[in-house]
Structures are given as C-alpha cells and as structure tokens.
Amino acid sequence: HGALLGSPTASASGGAVSQSTQKGRTQLISRGIGAEIDAQVVGYADWSEDEIDDLQDLPAEEFEKLEEAVMDLATAALTVDELRSEIETLQRLERLAREVRSSGVDRKWEELSRLLQDDEAMFDEQGQRRKLVIFTEHKDTLTYLTDRIRTLLGRPEGVVIIHGGIRRDERRLTQEKFTQDKDVVVLVATDAAGEGINLQRAHLMINYDLPWNPNRLEQRFGRIHRIGQTEVCHLWNLLAEETREGDVYLTLLRKLERERETLGGAVFDVLGQAIDGAELRRLMIEAIRYGDQPEVRARLTQKVEGALDQEQLKTLIDEQALAHEMMGASQVYAIRQTMERLEAQRLQPHFVASFFKAAFQHLGGTLRQREPGRYQIRHVSAIIRQRGRLLGHGDHVLRSYERICFEKEHRQVPGKPTADFVCPGHPLLDATIDLILERYRSLMKQGAVLVDDSDPGEQMRALFYLEHSVQDAHTNPDGSRRTASRRLQFVELPVESGDAATATPEARNAGPAPYLDYRPIEVDEAALLASLVEEIRATQDLERQALGYAVANTVPQHISEVRQRREPLIDKTRAAVKERLTKEIMYWNNRALQLKLREEAGKSNVKLNSALARRRAEGLEERLRKRMAELEEHRQLAASPPGYDWRGAGHSRRSAGALAG
C-alpha cells in the first residue's frame, strides 16, 4: 500500500505496523475467503502512474480519507487462493510487529525519545519544555506516538493531536490550546495540520515520517517557518539509514542542507517547485525495486542532485520575491495618507486595553503583566466562557491565555510565547463587552457631562456617537447580513436654553475622536449644571436631530468609501479565481475523457477512475459557481440606519450622547 499511494510505511514503528497489519488482515477476512474477489477491490492496484500522480494533488484531509479506504479494501489477490496467501503474509507481519513491540527495542522511537529528553533545544533557559510539532504520515502511527509521548512526559494533557478525521472547529480549538495553554507542549499531527493552520507558537518540528511529496514537506515546515516568526526554526527528519528509501531521502536532505547554507532557509519555500512530487515518488519506487544495483543508485543520486541545482533554486527564490518594482513618491504619499486616516478612525488600542482591564477585573478576572504591553490570564471565569459560547463565535474563549496584548507590535517577543491580539472581534473581548452591556446598558444610555477646557464660551454642545454599518448581501449562519464595514461616527449640536432652545441647532461632523479633548466634570461643576441639563433633556429632541444629520451626510460618505475600496478588489479576485478554477476544471474534464476512452477499450477499473475525475471536475464547477455568487454578494452594499438596534453579537446597541461645555 505504501508504494501504491506514495506513503512510506517501511520505517514505521512496530506498534503502528502491528495496528495497520491487524486492521488490514481483519478487513480481508471480513470480506470472506470463500467469496468471489470484488473487482473494485482489485482495481486499486491497477491505477496508472498518471492516476496516482493525480491523487498526490488532493488536499491532505481528502488524501487521508482515500488512503484509509484503500488500506481497508485493497488487495493484490486475483483468486481466493491468492487472498488466503495474502492473509497469511499479513499474519506473519503482524507476529513480527508484535515481537518488535514486545522486545522493547524500537530504534526509531528510541531516537525520538532521545531527542525529547536529551536535546538542549527542547528546553528554554529555565529548563521548561518548549513547544514542539511532530508530523507523521498515518493515523495508526499518530496513535502509537501519542500514547508513548504521553507516558514519557507523564502528563496526558500535555499532548494534543490533529488528523483528517477531526472536524475543522475541533482543529481550531486544538490550535488555540497549543498556542495559549502553557501545559500543552507537544502537537502530534498528520498532514491535515499542514494546510491552513498557524503553528508559529512553536519553532521546533520533527518529521517522524517523511512524505514522498516535497510539497507536503514544504507545507509542514511552513506552519512554523513563516512571516512574523522571531525564533530560529529547527527541523529534525527521522529516516532509516541503509534502506533504499532512506538513501534517496538522505541524498535529498544533505543536498538541501548544503544549499540552505548558501541560499538561506528560503530553499524550503520553493522545495515543491524544485522537485516534483510525482518525480520523487517514482524515484522512491525505483530505489525500492532496483536500488541494490550500483548503476541504478548512481543514476538516482544524480537525479536528486540535479533537481536541486543551486542556480535553479536561486531562480525560483527570485521569482517568489514579494516586489520587483519600486513605487513612486506620489504612490508612497497616497498610501501614507490612507494609513494615517485609517489609524485616526480606528478604535485605539489604549482605549481597548483600558476598558478590557477594568471590565475583566470587574467580572472577576485577573491579568498579570509579564512583559511590557503583554499580560497573562491564568483563569477565565466560567461566566465569560459561557457567554462566549452563547455568542457563537467560530473561535472559543479559552480557560487560560499564556499571553495577550492590545497592540500588534507586542505579539512577538524573542524568547517569549506568542500573544493573542485582543481587539474588536476577539471572542474574549466580545464576551466581556456583552456581559457589561447586559448589566449596565441603562446606565450608559443616560450619557455623561464633559468639559472642553479649550472652549472659552458658555454655550453647551451635545455630542452623539452613532454606530453605523455597511452590509453586503452575504448572509451569516444566523440569517443576518454580513457587515462589510462598521464605524463610530460623532455628531455635535449646539444646545440653547430658554427661548433660544426653540431654534433648530446646526449639526456638524465632530471628527473621529472628539472626546480626546474633553475631561470629566468635577463635583462643584456638576451642581451648577444639573438643572440646565435636565431642562435640555426635557425640551429638546437632540437625538432625532443628530440621526437626521448622520443619515443625510455621514452615511452616504461611508458607503461611498467602502464601495470605492471594495469594488476594485472584487474585480481582481474574481478574475484570479475564475482563471485558476477554470484551468483545473478543464484538466479534470480532459482526464475524465481519457479515462472513459480507456474504459471503452476494455481496460479494467477505468470506470471507477473516470467517475472520480468527473466528480472532481463537477466539484470544482460548483466551487466556481459558489465563489462567483459570493463575490457578487460582496459587491451588493447597503447602509443600515445609524443608531439602530442590532443583535449580531447577542445584544442591542443604540446611539448614545454626552453634553460638553
């Protein structure tokens, strides 16, 4: 089976081999020795080289499921007698594997155990174990390793796993635990963790099994070796020397090491382009079959060396450079202006931090500052975790956070854990806000009286902050429309008392953060203004006037800005997605046609593979249709009234105001 799908099993540990062979033998016996051999079962062994190459391009999760199905069903037997012989062979392999396991001698595990216990890179300056990612090829091997590592560490909770059979939301939770729970130190994973998961919290990785596809090797290392990583990444690759498979991979890794010293760690970024996965798989199979012949071994070495030529690697690295052109001064100035405007409009981290610290402690939580701008939360109260579950975020509120921060520049500190960036949208902050609003909404609705010391006049002004959203046509799971942009807008109106109060005040846009210029009212000032404030509240409908100004002025400006920014991006994305998926659809349609012709020519199992290719093409067509429809939904923008009730996060919000004098 390893040669069939390009997944080496020869180097697996005795425990994992025992599990795999027992499973395979049980499956074959369950099919019934006296029954006719199923043509579908035999068919897996008849896949062509091109068809097997196609399988290597499947997503890791899909590949794992297919591989497990093949392991359960595939057989080389064509007759009942051959099936009996195969079952007997599996029984012998199973006995040998049990003997290896019971002997207590497992060279590969011993090497891993030595690394875990004795290598100084595994521990920090205080002797604490560093975070580590271990990749393996098969679920049986993952189970075997997880049991042994948990026994070695003496803490079962210190090891977590990710494989293709785990749901995506559970994988995300496992990633969060590995990142933020200091007691979780080892992640054991198959290639399902090599796609779309950020494991940058660790900078140590071990490949217990090496894939026969360089793209997967590149994806694995890319989980920790990525932009923002502040530590030097270390990678150990375990392989069996003096084996034919090991000789090929050893040549590959030694060549990579030499080129890495010359070109830097960037060689891993282009490994999948430098040597094709199908080509490496063919080299492995050729080595296993004919590797004892000196001329074959020499030719294989030459192929590997040639595939990793230094000039070729340098060309690929240059092609992946982020920028090849210089921007002009006018472009730089325009970008700087845009960044400054967005920075002024966003909710500043200082205010997020001030609110969260006070609110979190008010709800019974405790933050401990560990480094400048970085905090540790050892325990999140049950009431906040429960509220996080009720809000239904994709992310979870964890029981503890090893580090959090409120400014992006504090996320990464050399030698320290990666901090979770707490900002609007973070589940911990949203749950805290929701609880505070639930308890004190009526109090906040009353507003406050502030003083503008820079204004020498005596006229009072009403300052309203209005929340306004622009939404697109895409619907969320709860049926609400997705928010494309949300903004706090401030409207100020002059306030008159007595006879002058009958005139309609002239509203104005107060800017992105006018409250920064005001201070709280003092006790002696409050006594002077109390009666005047009550009179104004009783006689003037200031909120309606502020809303009217926002609807006529700030709302149209907001939606225009969102449209100008979004539409060019949608156009570019639409063109890129259509081009990429159309090429894939054409490829799989053509592949299905070729396989259909083979079927009509009487080749065995062509029907199964042509059906697989057609389903692949149909799936891509459906993905293209959904993606195009989704992009059109992004284009359809609508403005919501400012200050309206909304319940996207489990609570309602209205406009609120303050008086300034």
Side-chain angles (χ1 to χ4, degrees):
H1 302 320
L4 174 65
L5 289 183
S7 303
T9 58
S11 58
S13 300
V17 172
S18 178
Q19 294 175 23
S20 298
T21 52
Q22 182 180 15
K23 184 190 300 182
R25 177 176 58 81
T26 303
Q27 288 290 342
L28 291 180
I29 293 174
S30 69
R31 300 191 66 83
I33 293 180
E36 181 181 355
I37 303 297
D38 191 335
Q40 180 183 5
V41 179
V42 178
Y44 284 108
D46 292 334
W47 280 353
S48 68
E49 290 290 329
D50 289 338
E51 291 163 338
I52 294 175
D53 291 344
D54 291 340
L55 298 178
Q56 307 299 315
D57 296 327
L58 293 175
E61 180 180 353
E62 192 174 336
F63 183 85
E64 284 185 29
K65 291 179 180 178
L66 177 62
E67 183 181 51
E68 189 165 342
V70 173
M71 295 289 285
D72 286 345
L73 297 175
T75 175
L78 298 177
T79 66
V80 173
D81 289 338
E82 289 179 359
L83 182 59
R84 288 196 183 96
S85 177
E86 186 171 328
I87 292 173
E88 291 173 359
T89 300
L90 285 172
Q91 288 174 330
R92 287 197 301 273
L93 288 173
E94 190 179 344
R95 285 196 299 271
L96 288 172
R98 283 200 302 267
E99 290 174 8
V100 170
R101 187 171 187 177
S102 61
S103 70
V105 178
D106 183 342
R107 288 293 306 279
K108 199 168 187 180
W109 162 252
E110 289 175 358
E111 189 66 23
L112 176 60
S113 176
R114 185 192 64 78
L115 278 174
L116 294 176
Q117 297 182 83
D118 301 334
D119 197 295
E120 61 182 14
M122 298 290 167
F123 304 90
D124 60 19
E125 294 78 3
Q126 289 74 41
Q128 299 296 317
R129 187 173 289 279
R130 288 190 169 116
K131 303 271 186 177
L132 170 69
V133 181
I134 300 176
F135 272 105
T136 185
E137 283 285 282
H138 306 289
K139 185 178 175 182
D140 286 340
T141 309
L142 179 145
T143 302
Y144 169 75
L145 286 179
T146 302
D147 292 342
R148 300 212 68 165
I149 295 172
R150 283 173 173 167
T151 301
L152 176 68
L153 299 182
R155 292 188 293 108
E157 71 279 4
V159 184
V160 292
I161 62 173
I162 293 178
H163 57 76
I166 295 177
R167 298 197 310 269
R168 291 189 179 275
D169 57 338
E170 293 181 6
R171 291 184 214 175
R172 188 63 179 268
L173 179 58
T174 299
Q175 175 189 338
E176 291 292 331
K177 286 182 178 179
F178 182 70
T179 301
Q180 285 298 328
D181 190 337
K182 64 181 181 62
D183 294 326
V184 177
V185 293
V186 178
L187 169 64
V188 185
T190 63
D191 282 309
E195 297 176 347
I197 295 182
N198 185 352
L199 302 176
Q200 197 176 40
R201 173 66 176 84
H203 64 276
L204 308 178
M205 179 180 291
I206 296 175
N207 281 320
Y208 188 80
D209 295 322
L210 288 165
W212 283 10
N213 189 333
N215 282 314
R216 298 205 186 279
L217 190 63
E218 177 185 322
Q219 288 170 353
R220 290 180 181 184
F221 197 50
R223 296 309 94 207
I224 65 171
H225 186 258
R226 54 197 297 139
I227 295 175
Q229 176 63 266
T230 61
E231 303 291 335
V232 176
C233 293
H234 297 267
L235 172 64
W236 291 265
N237 295 301
L238 301 184
L239 58 87
E241 287 189 289
E242 298 181 359
T243 64
R244 296 171 184 178
E245 172 197 337
D247 288 343
V248 174
Y249 233 122
L250 196 59
T251 302
L252 172 66
L253 295 174
R254 284 172 175 167
K255 177 67 174 178
L256 273 177
E257 180 63 21
R258 291 197 300 271
E259 300 306 336
R260 185 194 65 80
E261 294 174 357
T262 304
L263 300 174
V267 294
F268 279 95
D269 299 334
V270 297
L271 178 59
Q273 297 171 259
I275 180 167
D276 181 65
E279 177 63 20
L280 180 59
R281 187 184 60 81
R282 293 190 185 102
L283 293 178
M284 289 292 192
I285 293 176
E286 189 175 359
I288 291 171
R289 289 174 176 169
Y290 314 111
D292 56 345
Q293 302 174 16
E295 64 276 11
V296 173
R297 299 182 67 173
R299 179 162 49 81
L300 294 179
T301 300
Q302 184 178 3
K303 282 186 178 181
V304 174
E305 293 274 354
L308 297 177
D309 177 72
Q310 185 177 121
E311 288 302 318
Q312 180 194 4
L313 290 173
K314 189 174 185 304
T315 300
L316 291 172
I317 292 170
D318 291 340
E319 289 176 355
Q320 286 203 352
L322 291 178
H324 296 280
E325 299 178 358
M326 298 293 290
M327 289 189 295
S330 60
Q331 291 176 290
V332 174
Y333 180 71
I335 292 173
R336 181 177 297 168
Q337 279 189 316
T338 302
M339 293 176 64
E340 290 175 352
R341 175 176 55 81
L342 294 175
E343 180 68 18
Q345 290 178 344
R346 78 185 182 104
L347 185 60
Q348 297 299 315
H350 166 75
F351 297 107
V352 175
S354 298
F355 166 79
F356 179 78
K357 291 176 189 176
F360 187 69
Q361 291 172 355
H362 182 76
L363 295 173
T366 303
L367 292 87
R368 291 183 172 83
Q369 183 167 345
R370 292 306 187 191
E371 298 88 30
R374 292 159 51 89
Y375 304 84
Q376 181 183 30
I377 300 177
R378 292 185 174 177
H379 179 72
V380 178
S381 63
I383 186 173
I384 297 178
R385 298 200 309 273
Q386 176 65 21
R387 183 53 55 96
R389 287 191 289 270
L390 290 176
L391 293 179
H393 279 286
D395 295 336
H396 300 263
V397 177
L398 303 180
R399 290 181 174 272
S400 63
Y401 291 84
E402 195 167 3
R403 292 294 187 276
I404 67 167
C405 67
F406 303 96
E407 299 183 59
K408 287 184 178 180
E409 54 265 33
H410 294 317
R411 289 200 68 188
Q412 301 288 344
V413 173
K416 301 297 181 181
T418 301
D420 247 26
F421 178 43
V422 176
C423 60
H426 190 284
L428 179 60
L429 176 61
D430 284 357
T432 302
I433 290 174
D434 202 71
L435 285 168
I436 293 297
L437 283 175
E438 180 183 89
R439 295 183 182 184
Y440 303 108
R441 181 178 287 111
S442 59
L443 178 62
M444 290 187 288
K445 182 66 177 176
Q446 297 176 18
V449 179
L450 306 174
V451 177
D452 182 1
D453 287 328
S454 65
D455 184 358
E458 297 182 354
Q459 185 183 46
M460 298 186 69
R461 305 190 301 276
L463 176 68
F464 285 86
Y465 66 87
L466 309 171
E467 185 178 74
H468 172 242
S469 298
V470 174
Q471 300 167 325
D472 60 29
H474 186 79
T475 55
N476 296 315
D478 62 358
S480 61
R481 297 183 65 174
R482 180 169 54 187
T483 299
S485 175
R486 180 176 292 132
R487 180 179 296 177
L488 283 179
Q489 299 176 323
F490 294 87
V491 176
E492 193 171 72
L493 303 91
V495 177
E496 301 289 350
S497 60
D499 295 337
T502 59
T504 301
E506 183 177 351
R508 72 178 185 89
N509 189 335
Y515 52 84
L516 295 178
D517 298 326
Y518 305 155
R519 65 169 174 81
I521 194 170
E522 296 177 359
V523 176
D524 56 342
E525 296 170 330
L528 296 173
L529 294 173
S531 60
L532 183 57
V533 169
E534 290 303 319
E535 177 189 345
I536 291 170
R537 284 177 171 163
T539 61
Q540 300 186 39
D541 188 4
L542 297 174
E543 182 172 346
R544 180 183 60 81
Q545 296 163 5
L547 287 171
Y549 174 83
V551 169
N553 296 274
T554 59
V555 170
Q557 180 184 358
H558 184 194
I559 195 170
S560 176
E561 290 176 2
V562 174
R563 182 171 284 114
Q564 291 177 7
R565 184 174 67 247
R566 173 171 279 216
E567 288 197 347
L569 179 60
I570 291 175
D571 291 338
K572 291 181 180 179
T573 304
R574 181 185 175 89
V577 169
K578 190 172 184 178
E579 179 183 7
R580 179 177 62 83
L581 289 180
T582 300
K583 286 182 178 178
E584 290 192 47
I585 291 168
M586 292 175 62
Y587 169 81
W588 284 104
N589 277 327
N590 182 58
R591 197 84 185 93
L593 180 60
Q594 293 174 351
L595 294 169
K596 183 67 175 178
L597 293 174
R598 289 184 57 190
E599 175 186 357
E600 293 173 351
K603 299 289 183 70
S604 61
N605 282 313
V606 176
K607 181 179 178 181
L608 174 64
N609 291 286
S610 64
L612 177 65
R614 276 198 303 274
R615 287 196 300 271
R616 186 79 170 154
E618 291 168 358
L620 289 168
E621 289 172 354
E622 179 64 14
R623 188 194 305 177
L624 176 60
R625 186 193 65 77
K626 289 183 177 179
R627 193 73 177 96
M628 292 296 104
E630 183 179 338
L631 289 170
E632 284 306 308
E633 290 175 345
H634 291 181
R635 194 189 299 274
Q636 300 171 29
L637 300 177
S640 60
Y644 78 117
D645 278 347
W646 66 279
R647 300 182 180 275
H651 58 262
S652 62
R653 294 183 181 179
R654 280 192 177 273
S655 59
L659 290 174

